[in-house]
Amino acid sequence: MLQGPGENAGVIDLGEGEAVAFKVESHNHPSAVEPFQGAATGVGGILRDIVAMGARPVALLDGLRFGSPGWGFRRAVAGIGHYGNCVGVPTVGGEAVFDEAYAGNCLVNAMCVGLLPAERVTRARARGTGNAIVLYGATTGRDGIGGASVLASQELGEGSDEKRPSVQIGDPFTGKKLIEASLELVEGGLVESLQDCGAAGLASALAEMACDVGVDVHLDRVPLREDGMEPWEIMISESQERMVAVCRPDALERVEAVLERWELHHALVGEVTETGELRAFFEDELVGEIPARLLTDECPRYEVDRLATARPRAHIDPVNHEPKRWIYEQYDHLVQSRTVRRPGLDAAVLRLRPSWRGLAVSLDGPPLGEREPRAAGRGAVLDAARNVACAGGEPLALTDCLNFGNPEKPEIGWELAEAIEGIAETAEAVGIPVVSGNVSLYNETDGQAIPPTPVVGCVGLVPDVREVPRGWRPGDRVWLVRPAVLARARRQRRRPRARAQRGVGLQRPPLRGERRRSVRIGRAGRPEARLA
């Protein structure tokens, strides 16, 4: 593990000088208020998280949970497809679940996977007193102001439509230029640290960057798209497609040349200090200051009350068993020419060119109808890891997104704690670390919370993409595999001829601690696919 929790994304060493950065995040409340832009900007935000690590995004996955496949769901799918297709990153996997419990508060979780050299991990925290702070990308406006507080930290209910102005507006073409310019800066060694502007805009980005040092920002230098913006509006605006870079003064001219070539707005907005404070100025007047650590490592922490509550399984809507092809056919899953295994199977597989190695990626939530939080956490981990294994990958690491109701309510506080325990104990049992993640709370409408919904992404290494199991075909044989059969299959791995005659076709042993039944399908002599 090259980077664990605490940065924009987790990073895992793949060997041979390569590393993978990945993370899953939510954009639930914006998508509930305005599905198209909410889902689209969720994709844009997770792309920038990966870019901030110095990685090139190579794949997107999305986890969608709606009440029905109606207008809101279709608009969210269109938003995901619009941003991903325009920016040139393939959407290769995910899940779509329909449950009446999500009718008032949908879930849109987006995962991104990126590749980078193992020795070149970029981090967000600023360093080097006197270094320059450059804001670049789109201009700053009033769109998205209060998104983190008005939307993400409040329940939905009557009047939610009035919060539509708090939903950010995405521009994937500027997003594409932002990706390319950022990677050029990183590859040229021109930046010391990199951060994206997400929730709470500059306030959040600069607080995280200033944690170990200090930052002074001059808000009157920020490129604006609207007249008359107040300093506080500039500070918390969530206008999309913006990044913040720290660079040495002697590299500033070359940084500006790169940004000019990519036709991105940019400005020198501040400098790194040694005060330990985040200080904001407007026309040389100090308009705000606070110790940066009070917004990050030393922010208030709360112990929430917990009340155990029975959670019986729910009815499963038959629409969940219908084909989902019409959904993922709206996504470009072949752009960048890495996709070996396409959507529609257990996990997608991407080739690590020029070698024949590959990445298996999956994103899964709790089993259909599951309402017990610890079981939901366990099921999400096992489903994600099994899907990667079924694609021929060795699971390497996990990322999680915890979607819950209002944690101030004791029963929700209990659900959150139980789900975390379920994820932790299962990850430990199978020996896979959790290296990044996100928490989305207050997912309630008129006091009605969503079910406990931990969503888990998994990344695994495929030794040879030419050996990846393919899809089902007419004439394939179905096998019901029990633990005793799995043990026999492991012995048969050493006898390829016997394995071909029996058609068991296992590629690797089951995950440690796994005792669940599974269905295996394979053509004699070659494994095809597996359903868990």
Side-chain angles (χ1 to χ4, degrees):
M1 182 172 64
L2 300 178
Q3 177 63 56
E7 265 289 345
N8 283 295
V11 183
I12 296 294
D13 193 341
L14 298 174
E16 300 184 14
E18 293 180 293
V20 58
F22 62 103
K23 184 184 181 183
V24 60
E25 276 199 342
S26 63
H27 228 223
N28 302 333
H29 288 105
S31 300
V33 173
E34 209 299 293
F36 184 94
Q37 289 295 346
T41 52
V43 171
I46 195 63
L47 283 167
R48 292 192 300 276
D49 279 337
I50 298 304
V51 171
M53 302 304 298
R56 174 172 292 281
V58 297
L60 290 164
L61 301 92
D62 55 85
L64 308 177
R65 292 189 177 234
F66 280 72
S68 67
W71 178 85
F73 176 77
R74 293 173 184 271
R75 290 298 292 162
V77 169
I80 292 168
H82 169 69
Y83 206 103
N85 294 354
C86 290
V87 85
V89 179
T91 301
V92 298
E95 64 172 4
V97 173
F98 305 108
D99 187 320
E100 186 62 28
Y102 302 100
N105 197 132
C106 63
L107 300 185
V108 175
N109 293 177
M111 176 178 169
C112 185
V113 180
L115 296 175
L116 70 159
E119 76 281 356
R120 204 200 63 203
V121 178
T122 306
R123 294 177 171 84
R125 297 198 174 189
R127 59 183 180 179
T129 301
N131 279 342
I133 296 177
V134 178
L135 173 67
Y136 65 97
T139 51
T140 298
R142 290 186 172 90
D143 52 306
I145 286 181
S149 57
V150 176
L151 287 177
S153 300
Q154 292 185 18
E155 300 175 15
L156 298 176
E158 186 176 351
S160 293
D161 287 344
E162 298 173 3
K163 299 176 181 179
R164 197 176 301 268
S166 295
V167 177
Q168 307 91 334
I169 306 299
D171 177 3
F173 299 106
T174 298
K176 173 62 173 175
K177 294 193 295 182
L178 197 69
I179 291 172
E180 298 302 331
S182 299
L183 293 176
E184 185 172 337
L185 292 175
V186 171
E187 290 166 0
L190 299 178
V191 294
E192 301 299 305
S193 57
L194 200 58
Q195 176 69 296
D196 79 295
C197 285
L202 284 171
S204 174
L206 295 177
E208 293 176 4
M209 299 182 84
C211 185
D212 295 331
V213 282
V215 163
D216 285 355
V217 59
H218 300 270
L219 298 174
D220 51 298
R221 302 179 187 175
V222 173
L224 303 179
R225 70 173 68 130
E226 298 184 45
D227 295 330
M229 290 186 67
E230 297 290 333
W232 69 269
E233 292 179 307
I234 299 171
M235 194 68 167
I236 67 170
S237 168
E238 296 182 14
S239 294
Q240 297 291 285
E241 287 81 42
R242 298 181 301 160
M243 300 282 287
V244 182
V246 173
C247 64
R248 302 180 307 277
D250 61 356
L252 182 58
E253 186 175 338
R254 285 176 290 166
V255 168
E256 291 176 334
V258 171
L259 300 177
E260 287 286 349
R261 186 165 61 256
W262 286 102
E263 299 181 349
L264 292 171
H265 297 279
H266 58 88
L268 172 62
V269 298
E271 56 278 334
V272 179
T273 69
E274 54 185 12
T275 64
E277 294 185 335
L278 171 58
R279 302 193 300 179
F281 296 84
F282 191 82
E283 296 180 349
D284 295 328
E285 179 186 351
L286 181 65
V287 294
E289 62 180 328
I290 187 173
R293 298 189 73 84
L294 294 182
L295 298 175
T296 53
D297 295 344
E298 297 177 9
C299 65
R301 288 169 169 78
Y302 303 95
E303 281 292 331
V304 298
D305 295 330
R306 304 176 191 178
L307 176 63
T309 308
R311 292 286 189 267
R313 288 187 63 85
H315 168 73
I316 299 175
D317 192 326
V319 72
N320 287 288
H321 304 305
E322 296 179 2
K324 304 294 195 305
R325 181 182 294 272
W326 67 273
I327 300 172
Y328 58 77
E329 281 185 342
Q330 299 181 52
Y331 308 144
D332 187 339
H333 45 260
L334 296 177
V335 64
Q336 297 192 22
S337 302
R338 292 182 180 274
T339 310
V340 175
R341 203 173 196 240
R342 305 182 186 186
L345 299 171
D346 300 303
V349 176
L350 308 165
R351 182 181 170 188
L352 297 173
R353 300 192 311 262
S355 76
W356 289 107
R357 301 193 311 157
L359 279 179
V361 293
S362 179
L363 182 66
D364 295 275
L368 292 174
E370 184 59 73
R371 294 292 193 263
E372 201 282 314
R374 187 173 291 231
R378 292 169 177 166
V381 171
L382 290 174
D383 280 353
R386 278 200 306 261
N387 285 338
V388 164
C390 289
E394 183 70 31
L396 296 178
L398 305 169
T399 180
D400 62 10
C401 187
L402 306 178
N403 304 278
F404 289 83
N406 182 351
E408 299 168 42
K409 299 178 180 178
E411 63 273 19
I412 304 299
W414 172 77
E415 287 182 354
L416 181 59
E418 284 291 295
I420 293 171
E421 286 299 318
I423 292 172
E425 66 185 18
T426 308
E428 183 177 359
V430 297
I432 311 174
V434 179
V435 299
S436 62
N438 170 251
V439 177
S440 175
L441 304 176
Y442 299 94
N443 288 288
E444 299 194 5
T445 301
D446 296 326
Q448 184 64 43
I450 63 166
T453 314
V455 173
V456 175
C458 184
V459 169
L461 184 63
V462 179
D464 191 333
V465 296
R466 294 170 294 184
E467 301 295 329
V468 169
R470 304 297 176 182
W472 294 30
R473 300 173 187 174
D476 288 346
R477 290 175 289 174
V478 178
W479 294 79
L480 176 64
V481 183
R482 297 181 175 87
V485 179
L486 291 173
R488 185 169 67 249
R490 284 198 295 269
R491 293 192 296 270
Q492 291 170 344
R493 290 179 67 199
R494 301 172 184 152
R495 304 202 303 272
R497 183 174 299 175
R499 183 179 68 179
Q501 292 171 352
R502 292 171 173 79
V504 175
L506 280 174
Q507 283 211 312
R508 56 180 29 78
L511 295 173
R512 188 164 69 253
E514 177 58 47
R515 291 294 183 269
R516 297 171 65 133
R517 291 185 178 183
S518 60
V519 175
R520 202 56 209 182
I521 181 168
R523 187 185 308 277
R526 185 175 66 182
E528 295 296 332
R530 174 185 174 191
L531 289 180

